[in-house]
């Protein structure tokens, strides 16, 4: 978990334990009260893993392929050597 996710989990757990209010948690996390309620519900239902971003470790769908990146770099080095981006 990243430091940001650890902080989120700690604050959400404080709201679950009723140490702080949802409004206070929203201010601490710079989120809306609705989002804090959503996080609280998710942690109660799925556990701490709910806080972790679901796309972690995945390559974005719209990312360029490694082959295309290599082609672009080769073209820049050879054919378009003196051209500015």
């Amino acid at each position: 978990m990243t430091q940001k996710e650890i902080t989120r989990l700690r604050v959400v757990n404080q709201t679950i334990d009723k140490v702080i209010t949802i409004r206070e948690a929203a201010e601490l996390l710079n989120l809306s009260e609705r989002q804090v309620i959503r996080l609280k519900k998710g942690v109660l239902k799925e556990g701490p893993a709910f806080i972790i971003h679901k796309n972690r470790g995945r390559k974005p769908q719209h990312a360029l392929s490694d082959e295309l990146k290599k082609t672009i770099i080769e073209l820049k080095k050879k054919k378009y050597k003196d051209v500015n981006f």
Side-chain angles (χ1 to χ4, degrees):
M1 285 184 127
T2 64
Q3 188 62 38
K4 183 178 179 181
E5 291 168 340
I6 291 169
T7 302
R8 277 188 175 193
L9 181 60
R10 183 176 47 81
V11 172
V12 169
N13 282 333
Q14 287 177 345
T15 60
I16 292 169
D17 297 337
K18 299 188 181 185
V19 175
I20 61 174
T21 65
I22 291 176
R23 178 170 284 163
E24 292 169 336
E27 289 175 11
L28 287 171
L29 297 175
N30 293 325
L31 296 172
S32 66
E33 292 179 28
R34 179 183 169 279
Q35 292 302 316
V36 174
I37 293 168
R38 181 186 65 81
L39 288 173
K40 181 180 172 183
K41 183 179 174 183
V43 169
L44 287 172
K45 185 176 179 183
E46 298 179 28
F50 183 80
I51 298 293
I52 298 173
H53 197 280
K54 305 301 185 255
N55 280 342
R56 177 177 293 166
R58 294 183 186 171
K59 190 172 183 178
Q61 188 94 23
H62 60 280
L64 298 176
S65 67
D66 292 335
E67 184 179 312
L68 182 59
K69 287 180 187 177
K70 287 179 185 177
T71 305
I72 292 169
I73 292 170
E74 287 177 20
L75 284 170
K76 171 63 179 152
K77 287 181 179 178
K78 295 177 183 172
K79 187 173 181 183
Y80 298 106
K81 186 176 171 182
D82 298 325
V83 177
N84 197 0
F85 279 108

